[in-house]
């Protein structure tokens, strides 16, 4: 009888120890976190759909002359928009004297130009709309098919580059090299429009001569 009780006691101890071990193993085992149900997934495109333009700068470099001429148009600040414009010869300082001798002092001064003025919010928002249409906020390179590219050699060596920045701090740059500008009619839809509308702002907001001289 006593032997039977000892056996029952041993079995109880074994059972308790087994349960304790199972509980310990289960507690130490890590389980992957549960995925929340119906949690929205954020895509990169969703971020840029809410893009609010704070600055766009278009730089055109004309390399068809002996001394390249660089034209820059910038639209800044969506709250109180400002347009700035610069046109200058891209030449190292120690060649300035040679340029003036070759072109003349007056010709040199006519090329060097800079001014800025207020821009209407309507024009700023219109440019922002075109930027979204051409997806300027995410593109880093323009691709054209080999069949589209002409076999004729490009005469000019111009380049156009864009820089955009959002109110949230997103930045992007995009360059259109000369061989693509030669195929302007084959550029992705909207880019010719963007370049044209940016350039059209120059005569629209160009200040009087006295104002331009005062800003230089």
């Amino acid at each position: 009888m006593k032997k039977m009780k000892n056996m029952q006691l041993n079995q109880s101890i074994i059972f308790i120890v087994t349960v304790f071990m199972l509980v310990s193993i289960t507690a130490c085992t890590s389980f992957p976190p549960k995925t929340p149900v119906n949690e929205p997934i954020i895509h990169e495109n969703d971020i840029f759909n809410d893009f609010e333009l704070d600055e766009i700068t278009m730089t055109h470099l004309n390399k068809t002359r002996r001394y390249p001429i660089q034209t820059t148009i910038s639209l800044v600040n969506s709250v109180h928009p400002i347009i700035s414009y610069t046109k200058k010869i891209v030449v190292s300082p120690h060649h300035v004297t040679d340029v003036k001798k070759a072109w003349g002092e007056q010709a040199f001064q006519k090329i060097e130009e800079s001014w800025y003025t207020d821009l209407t919010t309507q024009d700023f928002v219109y440019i922002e709309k075109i930027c979204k249409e051409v997806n300027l906020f995410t593109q880093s390179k323009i691709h054209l098919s080999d069949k589209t590219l002409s076999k004729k050699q490009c005469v000019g060596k111009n380049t156009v580059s864009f820089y955009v920045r959002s109110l949230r701090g997103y930045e992007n740059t995009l360059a259109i090299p000369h061989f693509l500008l030669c195929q302007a009619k084959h550029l992705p839809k909207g880019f010719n429009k963007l370049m044209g509308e940016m350039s059209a702002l120059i005569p629209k907001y160009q200040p009087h001569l006295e104002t331009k001289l005062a800003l230089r």
Side-chain angles (χ1 to χ4, degrees):
M1 188 71 152
K2 186 176 180 181
K3 189 175 181 180
M4 244 173 140
K5 285 183 179 180
N6 288 336
M7 288 181 63
Q8 288 178 351
L9 181 60
N10 290 336
Q11 288 178 352
S12 299
I13 293 173
I14 293 172
F15 175 78
I16 292 172
V17 172
T18 304
V19 171
F20 177 79
M21 290 179 64
L22 288 174
V23 170
S24 299
I25 293 172
T26 304
C28 294
T29 304
S30 60
F31 292 93
K34 292 183 179 180
T35 304
V37 181
N38 298 326
E39 182 178 356
I41 301 175
I42 300 176
H43 296 283
E44 186 183 58
N45 290 337
D46 295 332
I47 296 175
F48 288 97
N49 284 337
D50 296 329
F51 191 102
E52 292 180 278
L53 183 66
D54 188 52
E55 177 187 345
I56 175 172
T57 297
M58 183 179 80
T59 303
H60 177 258
L61 186 62
N62 185 335
K63 296 183 180 180
T64 57
R65 299 172 180 266
R66 180 182 175 187
Y67 299 101
I69 298 176
Q70 178 177 292
T71 303
T72 304
I73 310 168
S74 290
L75 313 183
V76 185
N77 194 340
S78 60
V79 180
H80 301 291
I82 295 173
I83 177 174
S84 63
Y85 171 81
T86 61
K87 185 177 182 180
K88 62 182 180 180
I89 298 176
V90 183
V91 61
S92 56
H94 59 278
H95 284 158
V96 171
T97 303
D98 295 335
V99 174
K100 290 182 178 181
K101 287 181 179 179
W103 289 4
E105 184 74 25
Q106 295 300 320
F108 187 83
Q109 289 181 355
K110 287 180 180 178
I111 292 171
E112 297 285 344
E113 183 181 357
S114 64
W115 51 264
Y116 67 89
T117 186
D118 292 335
L119 178 76
T120 64
T121 304
Q122 182 179 358
D123 282 337
F124 190 92
V125 171
Y126 180 60
I127 295 297
E128 179 188 52
K129 180 182 177 182
I130 302 176
C131 289
K132 290 183 178 181
E133 289 176 356
V134 299
N135 196 20
L136 188 59
F137 308 131
T138 57
Q139 289 197 76
S140 58
K141 190 175 182 180
I142 295 179
H143 299 278
L144 295 181
S145 64
D146 294 336
K147 295 181 180 179
T148 302
L149 293 175
S150 173
K151 294 181 180 180
K152 295 181 180 180
Q153 187 176 2
C154 292
V155 177
K157 293 184 179 180
N158 301 346
T159 59
V160 172
S161 63
F162 289 97
Y163 164 79
V164 286
R165 185 185 68 237
S166 75
L167 290 174
R168 297 183 180 182
Y170 295 111
E171 296 178 302
N172 192 40
T173 57
L174 175 71
I176 307 177
H178 72 280
F179 66 88
L180 291 184
L181 290 176
C182 286
Q183 315 291 325
K185 64 180 181 179
H186 297 301
L187 285 175
K189 185 179 179 181
F191 273 99
N192 283 316
K193 181 180 179 182
L194 178 59
M195 290 187 289
E197 294 296 336
M198 288 287 288
S199 299
L201 294 174
I202 300 174
K204 183 176 181 179
Y205 289 97
Q206 192 168 26
H208 297 295
L209 178 61
E210 294 79 10
T211 306
K212 288 193 291 185
L213 291 175
L215 294 173
R216 290 183 62 177

